[in-house]
Amino acid sequence: MKPILEITELTKSYGRLTAVDALSMTIKPGEAVAFIGQNGAGKSTTMRAVAGLASIDTGSIRICGHDIASEPVEARQHFGYVSQDLDLYNYLTGEEFLMLVAQIRGCAPGDSESEIQALLELCDLNDARKRLIREYSGGMARKIAMAGALVGSPDLVILDESFVGLDPESTYRIGKFLKSYVAQGRAILISSHILDMLHAMCNRFFILHHGRCVADYSLNELDELCHSPETPDITAVYLQKTGQAGLIRADKAF
Amino acid sequence: MTNVPRVLGKSFGIRPTRGQVIGFACALPALAVLSYFFVGTASGAIPEHPGGDWLEIAFWLTAIATAFLSYLMMELLFRSREVKLLAPWPVHARDILNYQLRRVFSWVAITTIPWVFFWAPQLFCEPSIALLCISLWPAGLCVCAALALAVLVYTGDMATEKKGQAGFGIMAFSMAPAIALGGSLITTLLLKLLAEALLKPGFIDAALTAAGITAGAFAVAMFYASRVYKKRYYRILACFMDNDRIVLNAEYDFVGDATYQAISRAGAHSKTRALSCAWVAQCRRKFTLSSILVIVCELVLAASYLHSPESLGMTALRPGCFAILPVIVFSHPWLSVSRLAPEQLRCLPLREDEALRARLSACIRLVTVPSVLAGLAVAVPTASAHGLGAGMLQGVAVMAALFLITALLGYHAVPGRRSVLFTGACALFFAIVAIL
Ligand SMILES: Nc1ncnc2c1ncn2[C@@H]1O[C@H](COP(=O)(O)OP(=O)(O)OP(=O)(O)O)[C@@H](O)[C@H]1O
Ligand SMILES: [Mg+2]
């Protein structure tokens, strides 16, 4: 199966600080990858590099076989991205924004109408479709950004902490949708600190620590680990892998 | 006890780099050279017109600066980054006012430096007129700042009282800078008359009256504004922020379908057209007020020509000065690229040239109306082809400025301050072209 995303030896530094250090990873169709790590671990930096928004020092990034640096347009045809610090078309309405994305992605007009309708319903934004995005609440803005990333059903959807501030229904509905989305042979890369949600939604877990990969588990592997008394849940696995096992022990003693 | 305005100034004030200071210092002599060639060494003063062309030029340039300042005051008082940061902190309104006044008056002082250099060559030829020209700028701007402050505070105060009336606040706040501008234009005109009276022998009464009125306006405005501001700043700020969240739009709750239709009709094969439609819609919604202002400016221009058509021959400076306004207003959407073309655009499959074409076509659509209006504003009252030409020149100036900005700075992420400086330079350049 051809990989959707191939990152090879990606390194990115800001001055003396190495944010991402020789990171390699491959994402195949059908994978929902959880990107986990401390604040400042380098998750957003990696995702921005994949989306072509950050320059990289060394390494390469290929999306569906297209290099993000040398074939920017072809590579962009295959992914949708929602950044952590939302930056939206504030003066368009929700539906105008989605239609714009559909047109730029080159969707057929007839299909895009129904797709936009479905996405607006998924995000529970049908009533707000004719309101300017500027007037949206925090969660609504995040949802419209996610809908924008999903328009045209790109092969890879990159969501950087997109579930922050979403209400429980939306989280549940969009999570379920993403699971079925991945099952159709596409992939998602999602970063979040809500580990239980990731556990329920993803089938691969990638732990980043100081810009390096310290663990890469499939769902089965993680479930097995969670059965051991040392690491009863995903949080414990994460703490152990990031060198904070002391916290779990202290907790037990308490 | 901590001196809060000082701390604020230190934290939020602009700290120019050494390069910027050196650049500023190098540009000053250039200004003197520029004015030597363009303003000349003879004022052309005649007994009926004791300030000559110089005072005219000083007046119009100051008038343009006051137009800017009236709008800047609103940004500074209610919309600036530090105001938003400070809003939830326990800072006394008095301290915020002191800090903001410091900022405005230091801005006036700093801009006066190049102004002095601009008039330096004239200072050696006809010192009395040149000195009056020099004083017009700081005096006009200080009075303008005070008036804008008072008008904004008054508006805010009124808007907090009439909270129940939907739409009142938005209307009031969007009209306030224009009213302040009107007031400051009148006082600047009075200051100009004061200068003329001082130059004419035997007009001391007129000079005293003009001085009295402007000084009185300044004092009353400052007194009123500081009193109300200290008492009700936070309430006014909250009211402003409420209204600022709402876009000035007739149908501000639900926007019509036209843009949606236009984007979807553009067809998948024309990404450029879809993007350009979105861009135009965004600019129209974001800069509603600017668009109205441009039309108002053109009407004022037309009225001034209707009043004295021969002025076109005498001071061709006027269309030139006004040419700056649309350039600035309409390169504004270009500058606020981060707000109107967010990061998301850069993650979409769009070639650089497609994006650029979309942006240019949007700008062309946005400037066509004001340039045609400008042409008509000059052409109809004067019934001359010359006038139409001057107006069209404005349009060309705007377009050329836009093209140049794109060519030199590129499409993505135009850095704010550099592009503002650049647009300023373009505007100046084209204004000079327009004058010639
Ligand atoms: N523009 C920047 N300039 C300098 N350093 C940066 C910049 N952006 C990120 N960094 C640094 O790079 C490192 C990785 O940042 P990144 O945003 O990728 O972290 P993250 O894993 O997404 O964290 P979080 O969970 O808080 O979102 C951090 O140490 C951060 O300080
Ligand atoms: Mg992050």
Side-chain angles (χ1 to χ4, degrees):
Chain A
M1 226 180 333
K2 252 179 62 182
I4 289 182
L5 174 70
E6 288 170 272
I7 302 179
T8 0
E9 296 286 313
L10 168 69
T11 301
K12 163 84 188 167
S13 5
Y14 294 102
R16 249 179 290 162
L17 177 103
T18 308
V20 184
D21 194 359
L23 180 79
S24 296
M25 77 187 288
T26 306
I27 298 182
K28 291 200 237 11
E31 285 188 331
V33 182
F35 219 29
I36 313 169
Q38 284 174 319
N39 292 135
K43 305 179 295 291
S44 297
T45 306
T46 310
M47 289 170 143
R48 288 177 61 79
V50 171
L53 295 177
S55 63
I56 58 177
D57 302 338
T58 57
S60 76
I61 297 167
R62 298 177 81 79
I63 298 157
C64 293
H66 302 285
D67 190 287
I68 186 75
S70 59
E71 298 167 273
V73 179
E74 291 77 2
R76 279 167 169 77
Q77 204 63 263
H78 296 281
F79 72 83
Y81 166 74
V82 179
S83 78
Q84 184 173 6
D85 32 302
L86 282 189
D87 183 12
L88 292 164
Y89 282 86
N90 281 328
Y91 291 87
L92 291 184
T93 64
E95 75 176 0
E96 283 167 5
F97 164 63
L98 296 184
M99 183 46 94
L100 177 67
V101 177
Q103 295 291 29
I104 292 180
R105 284 200 179 285
C107 305
D111 300 347
S112 46
E113 301 252 338
S114 53
E115 191 183 6
I116 288 171
Q117 181 59 38
L119 284 171
L120 284 170
E121 265 158 31
L122 171 73
C123 298
D124 197 17
L125 287 174
N126 225 340
D127 293 338
R129 61 194 299 161
K130 287 200 197 317
R131 270 168 59 191
L132 297 187
I133 293 179
R134 181 187 153 92
E135 295 166 14
Y136 280 16
S137 73
M140 286 160 87
R142 238 172 238 288
K143 285 192 285 187
I144 200 77
M146 277 206 251
L150 288 166
V151 168
S153 309
D155 294 308
L156 175 66
V157 177
I158 306 167
L159 302 174
D160 196 353
E161 313 229 2
S162 299
F163 285 88
V164 172
L166 256 59
D167 58 38
E169 301 107 90
S170 301
T171 308
Y172 175 76
R173 216 159 353 147
I174 297 175
K176 206 170 126 195
F177 174 83
L178 287 176
K179 264 182 137 170
S180 67
Y181 189 81
V182 168
Q184 291 158 21
R186 290 182 281 246
I188 58 173
L189 175 61
I190 169 169
S191 81
S192 174
H193 297 292
I194 316 170
L195 298 184
D196 294 327
M197 182 197 76
L198 290 178
H199 197 171
M201 197 188 294
C202 299
N203 53 28
R204 196 174 153 196
F205 302 84
F206 202 91
I207 302 179
L208 209 62
H209 191 53
H210 294 312
R212 281 199 211 118
C213 164
V214 290
D216 181 2
Y217 299 126
S218 69
L219 183 58
N220 287 339
E221 286 168 332
L222 183 75
D223 282 342
E224 252 166 54
L225 280 176
C226 289
H227 281 125
S228 84
E230 282 285 272
T231 50
D233 57 14
I234 180 169
T235 308
V237 173
Y238 163 76
L239 288 173
Q240 197 192 40
K241 275 290 156 191
T242 50
Q244 297 170 87
L247 262 182
I248 321 172
R249 280 195 293 276
D251 206 29
K252 273 191 181 150
F254 178 75
Chain B
M1 222 183 86
T2 31
N3 181 343
V4 180
R6 197 115 153 249
V7 174
L8 294 182
K10 280 208 171 139
S11 328
F12 297 119
I14 302 164
R15 262 167 263 146
T17 60
R18 200 181 306 162
Q20 282 168 331
V21 172
I22 294 172
F24 186 67
C26 292
L28 292 178
L31 268 177
V33 175
L34 198 76
S35 92
Y36 180 80
F37 284 109
F38 289 107
V39 181
T41 50
S43 65
I46 43 171
E48 310 76 78
H49 208 56
D53 292 341
W54 290 1
L55 202 58
E56 280 292 305
I57 294 173
F59 169 72
W60 282 104
L61 291 177
T62 308
I64 289 171
T66 53
F68 258 129
L69 190 60
S70 328
Y71 280 86
L72 273 182
M73 284 301 286
M74 185 161 87
E75 297 282 317
L76 177 75
L77 287 187
F78 302 128
R79 208 182 262 150
S80 60
R81 194 170 50 100
E82 59 262 35
V83 164
K84 286 186 180 152
L85 264 172
L86 287 176
W89 290 357
V91 184
H92 222 285
R94 181 187 55 225
D95 291 330
I96 298 182
L97 176 67
N98 285 347
Y99 157 69
Q100 287 173 334
L101 287 180
R102 249 182 224 211
R103 265 197 91 164
V104 180
F105 290 124
S106 54
W107 186 81
V108 172
I110 290 169
T111 52
T112 306
I113 301 172
W115 182 250
V116 171
F117 272 82
F118 185 79
W119 291 103
Q122 289 73 23
L123 208 50
F124 292 103
C125 306
E126 291 174 50
S128 53
I129 300 183
L131 265 179
L132 286 170
C133 288
I134 289 177
S135 340
L136 196 60
W137 179 278
L141 289 186
C142 285
V143 179
C144 166
L147 286 179
L149 182 71
V151 171
L152 282 165
V153 167
Y154 176 73
T155 310
D157 199 25
M158 210 161 52
T160 48
E161 307 270 288
K162 298 197 179 176
K163 224 174 191 163
Q165 282 165 260
F168 176 81
I170 318 169
M171 276 314 289
F173 277 114
S174 42
M175 297 302 283
I179 293 170
L181 171 61
S184 8
L185 280 181
I186 293 172
T187 48
T188 314
L189 196 63
L190 273 175
L191 285 169
K192 183 189 165 222
L193 293 178
L194 166 67
E196 282 180 343
L198 285 176
L199 288 167
K200 272 190 206 172
F203 274 78
I204 194 71
D205 284 353
L208 281 178
T209 315
I213 295 175
T214 35
F218 179 80
V220 170
M222 286 303 281
F223 175 74
Y224 166 78
S226 59
R227 232 192 46 183
V228 178
Y229 193 103
K230 282 174 196 164
K231 270 196 218 144
R232 289 196 273 270
Y233 171 68
Y234 281 108
R235 247 193 288 166
I236 295 175
L237 180 67
C239 179
F240 178 85
M241 283 179 166
D242 269 356
N243 288 303
D244 199 36
R245 279 180 66 82
I246 301 162
V247 186
L248 179 70
N249 195 312
E251 337 134 88
Y252 73 83
D253 254 343
F254 291 95
V255 182
D257 271 338
T259 306
Y260 178 76
Q261 298 293 351
I263 295 176
S264 65
R265 262 203 315 272
H269 50 274
S270 177
K271 298 177 180 182
T272 310
R273 183 124 52 90
L275 188 55
S276 138
C277 289
W279 219 307
V280 170
Q282 291 210 88
C283 287
R284 293 234 163 102
R285 288 169 193 166
K286 170 138 182 59
F287 301 106
T288 318
L289 197 62
S290 308
S291 327
I292 296 171
L293 185 77
V294 166
I295 295 174
V296 170
C297 280
E298 306 303 358
L299 287 179
V300 170
L301 185 64
S304 86
Y305 283 135
L306 212 53
H307 182 62
S308 56
E310 73 281 5
S311 63
L312 186 68
M314 192 180 69
T315 41
L317 183 69
R318 273 185 216 184
C321 289
F322 274 93
I324 297 174
L325 269 182
V327 171
I328 289 159
V329 171
F330 281 95
S331 46
H332 195 182
W334 196 270
L335 297 179
S336 54
V337 56
S338 54
R339 261 181 290 180
L340 295 177
E343 245 182 6
Q344 218 148 15
L345 183 67
R346 292 167 59 190
C347 310
L348 291 176
L350 196 66
R351 288 201 314 273
E352 185 114 344
D353 64 302
E354 287 171 328
L356 191 57
R357 257 188 294 138
R359 192 150 166 193
L360 275 176
S361 91
C363 285
I364 290 172
R365 283 167 63 184
L366 285 168
V367 298
T368 308
V369 175
S371 350
V372 169
L373 269 180
L376 292 178
V378 184
V380 173
T382 54
S384 75
H386 180 181
L388 192 64
M392 289 303 168
L393 205 61
Q394 290 186 23
V396 175
V398 179
M399 299 319 308
L402 294 180
F403 275 105
L404 268 175
I405 291 173
T406 332
L408 291 183
L409 297 177
Y411 167 67
H412 286 313
V414 178
R417 206 170 295 163
R418 192 146 56 103
S419 55
V420 170
L421 281 178
F422 185 80
T423 319
C426 280
L428 200 67
F429 175 73
F430 288 107
I432 290 166
V433 172
I435 294 168
L436 299 180

